[in-house]
Amino acid sequence: MSKKEIILTGDRPTGKLHLGHYVGSLANRVLLQNSHHQFVMIADVQALTDNFEDPQKIHDSVFEVMCDYLAVGIDPCVTTIFLQSMIPAIPELTMYYMNLVTVARLTRNPTVKAEIKQKHMEESLPVGFFVYPINQAADITAFKATLVPVGNDQLPMIEQTNEIVRSFNRIYKKEVLVEAKALVPKVGRLSGIDGQAKMSKSLNNGIFLSDSADELARKVKSMYTDPNHLRVEDPGNVEGNPVFEYLDAFGTDLEKIAELKAHYQRGGLGDMAVKKYALDVLEAFLAPIRTRRKLYEQDRAQVMGMLMEGTQKAKGVAAETLKEVKEVMHLNY
Ligand code: TRP
């Protein structure tokens, strides 16, 4: 297959990755990496915009995220994995793009708005955090990406990026930058083990790719199910029941899952039995990932070497775009 479209995507390194990350983005990356030019960025600069007081956490998470990527099968031979802070073209592009975005427009960004509220930054909003959508536009455009696989919450970032692209090309009278399309996966998010709508590290309701078999068993046992399913003989709800949601996402025996759902709905199937099967399914999924991850964890030099190799390649690509940008801005001295 010929590789046509350029993909740019990434994660803020603020900890280890969980099953929600897998469903929302990692699975897609593994799937798309052979048919596309894929760049995956570890967004440490962006992570610092709301973690600047905890640089050690971000530093350590770079290696953890890298291990998670490799363990799930993102292959550095076909995917360029790189570190944002080592690409000097990105902050330089960010600075030029800032001229093209109004404060009012940034204030309206729904994702930034929600994050400011969630993190209680209303009274002390750092400028760096406020402008991170512009920085993200620089990430995407530096690679002339046309596809950005992301979760729903990132759609405003792509919109913002495309507005910058159109303004830039119009003002500087050349089609230097390229618009990007968001690619949102069918099942874009996963509930937490507590039944909350989103699995998230900060909500402490996640199953991590690196969890041990014991941790996994403990978490599955404690999972939220249908609160009205009190006795085994009661009919239960599979909608909004994370145990069944996980079976749908990670199970392979579709017939058996359909049977379990029917049985649960008509009554007579206990939560313990469903959880036991869910544990088997999740363990079958996670065991090989855990084994591969262990190997990478033990070889920090090799893992960081792969990241540095990808970063060198990415640096060259971004520098090319920056050169074109500076040329049309008459910054070509
Ligand atoms: N904002 C993304 C997140 O919080 C991470 C990210 C940074 C990103 N730059 C990107 C995603 C560019 C896609 C494209 O998960």
Side-chain angles (χ1 to χ4, degrees), residues 19 22-23 190 207 216-217 220 223 242-258 260 273-290:
L19 291 180
Y22 186 84
V23 168
L190 202 66
I207 293 174
L216 177 66
V220 172
M223 268 180 80
V243 183
F244 286 99
E245 191 188 329
Y246 292 7
L247 287 182
D248 281 336
F250 299 100
T252 48
D253 189 345
L254 303 186
E255 224 170 286
K256 164 129 192 174
I257 294 169
L260 285 175
V274 187
K275 285 181 175 178
K276 188 173 174 306
Y277 182 62
L279 178 58
D280 290 346
V281 163
L282 291 176
E283 178 58 20
F285 173 75
L286 285 174
I289 292 176
R290 196 187 294 133

Side-chain angles (χ1 to χ4, degrees), residues 284-328:
F285 173 75
L286 285 174
I289 292 176
R290 196 187 294 133
T291 306
R292 280 195 297 270
R293 201 184 190 283
K294 283 247 161 64
L295 293 175
Y296 291 119
E297 280 165 25
Q298 285 158 15
D299 201 344
R300 193 184 177 97
Q302 192 207 356
V303 169
M304 293 310 283
M306 291 180 197
L307 180 60
M308 290 308 119
E309 214 172 288
T311 300
Q312 282 317 311
K313 197 173 147 202
K315 203 170 163 174
V317 176
E320 273 306 307
T321 304
L322 178 65
K323 189 162 167 255
E324 290 177 57
V325 160
K326 291 181 76 168
E327 207 150 299
V328 297

Side-chain angles (χ1 to χ4, degrees), residues 16 80 106 117 151 210 223 231 268 275 289 313 330:
K16 296 173 177 180
T80 306
L106 274 180
K117 214 170 148 194
S210 47
M223 268 180 80
R231 292 167 306 174
K275 285 181 175 178
I289 292 176
K313 197 173 147 202
H330 302 299

Side-chain angles (χ1 to χ4, degrees), residues 158-175:
I158 314 297
E159 226 174 275
Q160 178 85 73
T161 299
N162 288 337
E163 284 174 31
I164 291 172
V165 168
R166 288 191 291 267
S167 296
F168 185 95
N169 290 346
R170 177 175 45 80
I171 293 166
Y172 301 109
K173 299 184 184 62
K174 196 173 172 199
E175 299 290 309

Side-chain angles (χ1 to χ4, degrees), residues 124-235:
S124 55
L125 178 62
V127 173
F129 185 81
F130 184 59
V131 302
Y132 95 72
I134 305 178
N135 188 235
Q136 191 155 333
D139 300 335
I140 295 168
T141 55
F143 297 89
K144 300 196 172 179
T146 53
L147 266 190
V148 183
V150 281
N152 253 327
D153 63 314
Q154 294 292 304
L155 292 177
M157 302 301 158
I158 314 297
E159 226 174 275
Q160 178 85 73
T161 299
N162 288 337
E163 284 174 31
I164 291 172
V165 168
R166 288 191 291 267
S167 296
F168 185 95
N169 290 346
R170 177 175 45 80
I171 293 166
Y172 301 109
K173 299 184 184 62
K174 196 173 172 199
E175 299 290 309
V176 172
L177 303 180
V178 185
E179 287 191 52
K181 272 196 311 284
L183 183 69
V184 181
K186 274 201 279 310
V187 191
R189 55 153 199 88
L190 202 66
S191 299
I193 56 171
D194 58 356
Q196 293 210 61
K198 198 173 172 187
M199 184 176 284
S200 117
K201 190 178 145 57
S202 53
L203 294 173
N204 196 21
N205 63 2
I207 293 174
F208 291 90
L209 296 168
S210 47
D211 277 351
S212 68
D214 286 349
E215 278 169 301
L216 177 66
R218 187 178 51 74
K219 287 181 181 178
V220 172
K221 230 180 253 167
S222 77
M223 268 180 80
Y224 173 93
T225 61
D226 174 2
N228 297 316
H229 184 241
L230 299 173
R231 292 167 306 174
V232 172
E233 57 272 28
D234 290 341

